[in-house]
């Protein structure tokens, strides 16, 4: 995923910094549109979105469980410390 981002950044930099003029820009734009509208690319993007959504849900569940465990541990510790009375 990082390589794809890097390649997109390089391509964007080339397009923006290119002195080849409007014609080259249009060629690059048309090529990018062909790639973006390719059914295989669309399918891969859909699968990536589904995977991210599943992973986010799983991460949220894990985080919720960890917070609940930490709160329970803290509550138990407070109960233990408050039940122990210091000697006079």
């Amino acid at each position: 995923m990082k390589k794809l981002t890097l390649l997109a950044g390089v391509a964007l930099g080339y397009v923006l910094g290119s002195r080849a003029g409007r014609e080259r820009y249009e060629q690059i734009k048309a090529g990018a549109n062909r790639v973006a509208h390719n059914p295989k690319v669309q399918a891969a993007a859909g699968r990536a979105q589904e995977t991210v959504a599943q992973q986010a849900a799983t991460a949220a569940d894990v985080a919720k469980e960890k917070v609940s465990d930490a709160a329970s541990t803290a509550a138990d510790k407070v109960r233990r410390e408050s039940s122990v009375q210091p000697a006079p």
Side-chain angles (χ1 to χ4, degrees), residues 2-67:
K2 289 182 181 181
K3 288 182 182 179
L4 182 59
T5 305
L6 176 64
L7 288 174
V10 169
L12 180 63
Y14 177 75
V15 170
L16 295 176
S18 176
R19 293 184 180 253
R22 184 77 178 174
E23 183 179 336
R24 183 66 181 142
Y25 167 77
E26 292 298 334
Q27 289 174 349
I28 293 169
K29 184 178 165 186
N33 282 334
R34 278 194 306 275
V35 170
H37 292 98
N38 184 317
K40 289 182 181 179
V41 172
Q42 293 292 323
R47 286 192 306 270
Q49 271 187 320
E50 290 171 10
T51 300
V52 168
Q54 290 172 352
Q55 299 258 339
T58 301
D61 290 342
V62 169
K64 182 178 173 183
E65 186 177 313
K66 297 246 183 218
V67 167

Side-chain angles (χ1 to χ4, degrees), residues 69-80:
D69 289 347
S72 177
T73 300
D76 289 345
K77 185 175 181 180
V78 168
R79 279 190 221 109
R80 273 183 279 148

